[in-house]
Amino acid sequence: MKIFAVGMNYALHNKEITNALLQKGVGTSADDRQRDPVIFTKADSSLLKDGKPFFVPDHLGRIDYETEVVVRICRLGKSIPEQFAHRYYDTMTVGIDFTARDLQKKLREEGQPWEISKGFDGAAVIGEWIEKEKLPDIQALHFSLNVNNEQRQEGCTSDMLCTVDRLIAYISQFFTLKTGDLLFTGTPVGVGPVNIDDHLEGFLEERKVLDFWCK
């Protein structure tokens, strides 16, 4: 199983994270939708599911939540045309792309790869899967995150800079997609830190699909 993730796929979040990382001019221009997506991978050991707690690593500094729609690949595919990409996923859920923000900033400043700030153990949380047919158009899905009963993030996939089908077509140019592979599709504005004893709940079209605690 491979875990793919997308960076900077919502314009308002791009401005938010650009300021945080002090990288001016990244992901904020009007032609963002024409750019190739930012793709990275997470280790399979980063997967966290079934409501298990997330153990906040005390050696990585600030850990931020990033709420995302996640899709699951349902068939083998390579170099998939965008118009056929919808055939390659069958279910979706809400997930959390946990990010070691201090470490990410340090690695960026040093010009080093920053995957370890995204791919550590437990950094890819997924919720309950919902079949695609039971949801609206994938580019019109509303999703949100509550932390300790307070809404912290809210987004709609219509605001994506790169659609899910475009992402799948692009990724399949470089990687053979296999049944069970996961795609985290990017986070909207509102990311923030988590702390021990925080309770996180994720919603997809008002249905709670994600529920876990930080320990």
Side-chain angles (χ1 to χ4, degrees):
M1 181 199 67
K2 300 183 291 298
I3 303 174
F4 299 100
V6 184
M8 310 185 80
N9 202 23
Y10 288 81
L12 291 179
H13 168 65
N14 294 354
K15 294 179 181 180
E16 152 183 84
I17 203 63
T18 292
N19 293 334
L21 297 176
L22 301 179
Q23 284 195 317
K24 296 181 179 180
V26 178
T28 60
S29 66
D31 63 349
D32 279 350
R33 293 181 186 271
Q34 305 304 317
R35 296 181 178 179
D36 287 337
V38 177
I39 305 296
F40 58 95
T41 60
K42 288 173 170 275
D44 57 3
S45 60
S46 69
L47 186 64
L48 185 67
K49 58 182 181 178
D50 301 326
K52 294 179 180 178
F54 171 68
F55 291 92
V56 182
D58 58 8
H59 64 292
L60 294 181
R62 170 173 164 163
I63 305 296
D64 280 3
Y65 57 78
E66 297 189 9
T67 312
E68 315 196 0
V69 170
V70 184
V71 301
R72 184 173 64 189
I73 301 300
C74 63
R75 60 193 296 186
L76 186 72
K78 174 70 174 175
S79 299
I80 301 165
E82 184 174 341
Q83 63 266 36
F84 300 129
H86 66 279
R87 301 177 181 176
Y88 287 81
Y89 54 93
D90 58 353
T91 57
M92 54 206 66
T93 189
V94 167
I96 304 293
D97 167 21
F98 277 122
T99 303
R101 192 68 71 200
D102 294 338
L103 177 58
Q104 184 188 43
K105 180 179 179 181
K106 175 179 180 291
L107 293 170
R108 283 179 179 268
E109 289 173 347
E110 295 174 354
Q112 297 185 32
W114 43 265
E115 259 101 351
I116 59 173
S117 71
K118 291 278 197 175
F120 55 90
D121 289 352
V125 188
I126 58 172
E128 172 192 352
W129 294 106
I130 302 178
E131 294 176 4
K132 180 171 62 175
E133 291 75 14
K134 296 181 180 179
L135 291 165
D137 186 284
I138 193 167
Q139 295 307 146
L141 293 177
H142 292 85
F143 61 103
S144 62
L145 174 73
N146 288 357
V147 179
N148 302 326
N149 296 316
E150 177 186 348
Q151 188 176 91
R152 297 289 180 83
Q153 280 190 284
E154 182 180 15
C156 183
T157 55
S158 62
D159 294 326
M160 284 182 175
L161 299 175
C162 295
T163 66
V164 172
D165 289 354
R166 182 182 169 198
L167 292 171
I168 288 175
Y170 181 80
I171 292 170
S172 71
Q173 296 177 44
F174 308 96
F175 302 92
T176 297
L177 297 180
K178 297 183 178 181
T179 300
D181 287 349
L182 305 180
L183 172 59
F184 283 68
T185 59
T187 192
V189 70
V191 304
V194 291
N195 300 287
I196 293 173
D197 294 329
D198 278 348
H199 181 206
L200 278 65
E201 298 171 286
F203 299 82
L204 186 59
E205 287 294 315
E206 300 184 352
R207 177 173 175 175
K208 184 162 73 170
V209 295
L210 185 67
D211 191 336
F212 69 100
W213 290 80
C214 295
K215 300 293 185 180

